[in-house]
Amino acid sequence: MSTEIDTAPALTESQARALFEKEFVPHLDAMYNFALRLTNDEDDAHDLVQDTCMRAFRFIGSFEPGTYAKAWLFRILKNNFINDYRKKSRGPTKVEFEWVEQSFAGEDDPEPAFQADLQAETVNEMLGDEITSAIQALPVDFRMIIILCDLEEFSYEEMAKILNIPIGTVRSRLHRARAMLKETLASYAMKKGYKTDMLSA
Amino acid sequence: MKTNCSHQPDCLKLIQRILDKEASAEEEARFLANKDQCLPCQEGHELELALRKALKTSCHSKCPSSLLESIRSKISSIILLILLLIPLFCWFI
Ligand SMILES: [Zn+2]
């Protein structure tokens, strides 16, 4: 069970408002983009960002000014998403979920079986829609880590905190996610008849 | 120039760590010194750069202004609630 004590922020009204404007608002575009990539639905993304902000605001008293608010907010967003996502997909209960997460936390993701043969020029010629659908096609854990790293430029250490996994897992999961992304793009390219070599081992 | 890299899986990992700004200065210098002599490493480096660029240009979306307004008004009502509840609570005690 989560301990949700309704802590009134130990701040005055104007302090809390100012903190919101200064620390949250600059990250809203990035949060919305992350939420949209995760849910693939504008209404769900809207709700997810709103819930994240309300939760963050409720615990704003525990936020230390000067620390990296973006990583803190992304961590809350990711936790909210996992809880909601689990509800919607009628997955395991929270306790079971945490057990699953922990049991995998110590292990690195396995090495990708192969690297797709994809050329930089092919990627440069691709349409934005193809790139976004290749991202959406990734399993959510891999999609998440690619967005955090390549789009939001979080460090490995920050991603480890946001995702609650060891740094070694961040590194191997990223490597695997990128191999999967390249594989998907290579398959699009082959379908469209871009010139690529066959997939090689 | 080498057209075959015998340690390509390791090179690729290093390339990714360099672009992620997680490699040491020595590792980066060592890679840059060898890159000119190794075609697969050069191509791998270009591909990783192209992927990052493609992601940055394609996966953008802005927070709708309606969402920002909705969050602001929710926060205002929470603040109002707290301002009302605290005096009430103190009064009962
Ligand atoms: Zn090489």
Side-chain angles (χ1 to χ4, degrees):
Chain A
M1 281 296 292
S2 58
T3 47
E4 281 187 28
I5 312 152
D6 244 314
T7 40
L11 297 162
T12 67
E13 177 201 359
S14 61
Q15 276 174 327
R17 254 184 232 275
L19 206 55
F20 170 77
E21 295 295 328
K22 185 170 164 264
E23 302 285 0
F24 293 13
V25 172
H27 306 303
L28 280 179
D29 283 342
M31 286 164 73
Y32 180 75
N33 191 48
F34 189 44
L36 191 60
R37 299 294 149 214
L38 294 182
T39 60
N40 206 14
D41 180 278
E42 288 180 10
D43 291 334
D44 287 347
H46 183 290
D47 293 349
L48 183 52
V49 172
Q50 181 157 292
D51 290 350
T52 302
C53 283
M54 299 329 289
R55 180 167 291 237
F57 189 74
R58 193 195 278 175
F59 294 105
I60 204 163
S62 67
F63 171 74
E64 293 164 40
T67 60
Y68 197 26
K70 191 178 174 186
W72 186 66
L73 290 167
F74 268 66
R75 188 187 161 101
I76 299 173
L77 197 158
K78 169 249 162 191
N79 287 339
N80 266 2
F81 168 71
I82 285 175
N83 291 334
D84 280 2
Y85 182 78
R86 196 201 64 237
K87 256 180 249 152
K88 278 188 187 164
S89 62
R90 299 209 183 103
T93 63
K94 184 161 189 174
V95 177
E96 282 169 313
F97 176 81
E98 276 171 356
W99 181 81
V100 171
E101 194 175 43
Q102 275 164 14
S103 71
F104 283 117
E107 275 170 44
D108 284 358
D109 283 274
E111 278 280 311
F114 69 92
Q115 293 285 338
D117 201 343
L118 186 67
Q119 305 292 314
E121 305 94 82
T122 314
V123 174
N124 292 336
E125 284 166 25
M126 286 197 149
L127 305 171
D129 284 353
E130 292 173 302
I131 306 290
T132 45
S133 57
I135 281 284
Q136 294 309 137
L138 292 175
V140 75
D141 281 347
F142 297 103
R143 202 187 314 153
M144 230 187 267
I145 204 155
I146 285 207
I147 294 169
L148 292 177
C149 188
D150 292 353
L151 237 52
E152 302 305 336
E153 299 185 341
F154 283 113
S155 70
Y156 289 2
E157 203 185 329
E158 285 161 346
M159 287 189 281
K161 282 185 190 147
I162 292 168
L163 300 173
N164 198 23
I165 52 176
I167 286 195
T169 310
V170 168
R171 210 179 291 131
S172 57
R173 188 174 295 176
L174 251 181
H175 189 60
R176 190 143 169 253
R178 284 168 176 153
M180 289 169 101
L181 180 65
K182 282 182 245 179
E183 204 180 316
T184 311
L185 290 172
S187 75
Y188 289 175
M190 277 218 281
K191 258 185 242 156
K192 271 189 67 171
Y194 285 124
K195 52 172 198 294
T196 43
D197 303 330
M198 289 300 291
L199 302 180
S200 62
Chain B
M1 183 175 338
K2 284 195 296 174
T3 52
N4 235 314
C5 181
S6 51
H7 24 75
Q8 213 183 347
D10 291 328
C11 289
L12 182 61
K13 281 182 196 159
L14 179 60
I15 290 168
Q16 293 187 351
R17 280 197 296 116
I18 289 170
L19 295 177
D20 294 342
K21 300 183 187 79
E22 299 278 349
S24 68
E26 297 87 63
E27 285 176 312
E28 191 169 349
R30 188 158 25 97
F31 172 76
L32 289 175
N34 292 324
K35 201 183 82 168
D36 291 341
Q37 278 93 56
C38 183
L39 188 65
C41 281
Q42 256 177 43
E43 289 181 341
H45 188 242
E46 279 167 26
L47 175 60
E48 294 298 320
L49 279 173
L51 282 170
R52 279 169 173 73
K53 207 180 113 204
L55 286 174
K56 284 213 164 131
T57 47
S58 322
C59 296
H60 264 307
S61 30
K62 284 207 167 291
C63 173
S65 55
S66 60
L67 175 54
L68 176 57
E69 287 323 309
S70 153
I71 294 168
R72 277 197 181 118
S73 78
K74 279 204 161 219
I75 284 179
S76 295
S77 40
I78 285 192
I79 290 174
L80 198 68
L81 199 71
I82 291 167
L83 289 179
L84 284 172
L85 284 179
I86 290 175
L88 256 179
F89 186 67
C90 297
W91 187 71
F92 273 119
I93 284 178

